[in-house]
Amino acid sequence: MDIERINDNTVKFYISYLDVEERGFSRDEIWFNRDKSEELFWEMMDEVNEEADFVMEGPLWIQVQAMDKGLEVTVTRAQLTKDGQKLDMPDDIEERRKMFANEDSDAAGTEFDEFEPVFNEPDTKKLEYTFMLSEVEELVPLSRRLQYVPIETALYHFEGKYYLHISFDDILHSDEDIKDHLSVLSEYLPPSSVTIHRLEEYGKEIFKKDALSNVLHYFG
C-alpha cells in the first residue's frame, strides 16, 4: 500500500485489489459488505497511522475513488470549532482545493465532489465475470454457441486451472442480455472469484482477447 501525507489534516493512500485479496478480502466484499469494508478501512488506517503518523482524532471525511487496479482513498480530519462543532465541507471548489493543497506546494490539490462513508460504489451493473475450467477444449461447445455474441473474452492459466474472463459492453448489452448470456455460460462453466487483476499479475496469458474465437479456430 502506498501512502502519501498531504498535510497535517489529510492523508492519501492507494491499495491494489491484489493487496486487498492478500489481506483476506474479496473485491465484492469491500463494495457490498459494510462490515468487511469497514474492517479493511480501519486495518489500512492502522497502517497509515504507523507509517505516516496520522492520528485519527474526531470525525473524518473519507473519499474513495475506484481505479482499474485498486482504490485511492483520501482521509481528512474534520476541523472543529472552539465549541467542538464539526465544520462542514466547503461548497466552493476553490475552498476545497485549499483544504487539500499540499502545504509544501503552491499547486492546487485534487478536486473532490463529495465525501462518502467508507466504500460506496456507484450504482452500475456488473460487466465483468470470470469462469473456471480444466482444459481449453471445454470451451469449444461454448465458443460455437456464443460465436456471434459481441463480448470480450480473455483466457489465462493460473495455478493449474484455466480461467475465462468475460467483459460485456454497457452500450451493446442490456441487463437482460447479460443475464441471458451468463445463463448460457453457467451451463458450461462454474463461476470463479479470481479477479482479472490477479490473473494479469500472476497468471499465464493464453489469449488476451477474442479467446472464444481463437479457441474455436485452433481447437474447434
Side-chain angles (χ1 to χ4, degrees):
M1 186 171 74
D2 297 326
I3 302 172
E4 178 185 0
R5 183 67 179 268
I6 305 300
N7 55 39
D8 288 342
N9 294 312
T10 303
V11 66
K12 179 186 294 185
F13 52 94
Y14 172 84
I15 184 170
S16 68
Y17 291 123
L18 179 59
D19 192 357
V20 168
E21 291 178 354
E22 290 178 345
R23 292 167 184 260
F25 301 89
S26 71
R27 188 170 177 178
D28 285 344
E29 280 180 334
I30 63 174
W31 287 125
F32 303 115
N33 185 320
R34 184 173 183 82
D35 290 339
K36 288 292 185 179
S37 67
E38 290 183 352
E39 182 181 344
L40 173 62
F41 174 76
W42 292 116
E43 180 180 310
M44 292 188 295
M45 287 304 297
D46 286 341
E47 187 174 331
V48 168
N49 186 32
E50 291 178 5
E51 296 188 21
D53 191 26
F54 186 81
V55 181
M56 296 168 289
E57 295 179 344
L60 301 174
W61 278 310
I62 305 163
Q63 194 257 4
V64 181
Q65 181 177 354
M67 308 179 76
D68 289 341
K69 295 188 178 182
L71 302 170
E72 184 180 86
V73 183
T74 303
V75 180
T76 295
R77 282 190 296 243
Q79 298 180 28
L80 302 177
T81 61
K82 292 182 179 180
D83 59 358
Q85 296 298 311
K86 183 179 69 172
L87 292 177
D88 292 331
M89 174 62 68
D91 293 328
D92 185 78
I93 193 61
E94 291 301 324
E95 292 301 317
R96 294 189 187 187
R97 286 175 177 169
K98 292 177 183 178
M99 178 175 289
F100 289 94
N102 190 319
E103 292 181 346
D104 297 326
S105 171
D106 292 331
T110 306
E111 290 186 14
F112 297 100
D113 291 330
E114 60 183 356
F115 284 74
E116 298 290 349
V118 194
F119 303 113
N120 287 325
E121 189 176 34
D123 292 328
T124 57
K125 59 186 177 184
K126 187 175 180 182
L127 300 173
E128 297 186 18
Y129 299 83
T130 305
F131 294 85
M132 184 176 65
L133 55 146
S134 299
E135 301 293 339
V136 176
E137 288 79 1
E138 295 177 35
L139 290 176
V140 172
L142 177 63
S143 300
R144 290 199 180 103
R145 190 162 175 185
L146 296 179
Q147 62 181 314
Y148 300 117
V149 177
I151 56 178
E152 297 179 18
T153 56
L155 184 65
Y156 295 85
H157 187 261
F158 174 63
E159 295 185 343
K161 294 288 185 179
Y162 291 92
Y163 293 87
L164 179 69
H165 182 256
I166 304 288
S167 299
F168 294 99
D169 188 302
D170 60 351
I171 297 178
L172 296 177
H173 301 280
S174 65
D175 291 343
E176 193 64 31
D177 289 335
I178 294 176
K179 182 179 179 181
D180 290 342
H181 297 327
L182 288 175
S183 178
V184 172
L185 286 158
S186 298
E187 290 179 25
Y188 295 88
L189 304 171
S192 171
S193 61
V194 176
T195 66
I196 184 61
H197 309 290
R198 193 169 188 182
L199 294 174
E200 290 176 339
E201 187 78 17
Y202 295 107
K204 179 182 178 182
E205 177 186 297
I206 307 301
F207 297 117
K208 188 173 183 178
K209 62 179 182 178
D210 301 326
L212 291 182
S213 298
N214 281 307
V215 166
L216 194 59
H217 176 77
Y218 291 106
F219 300 93

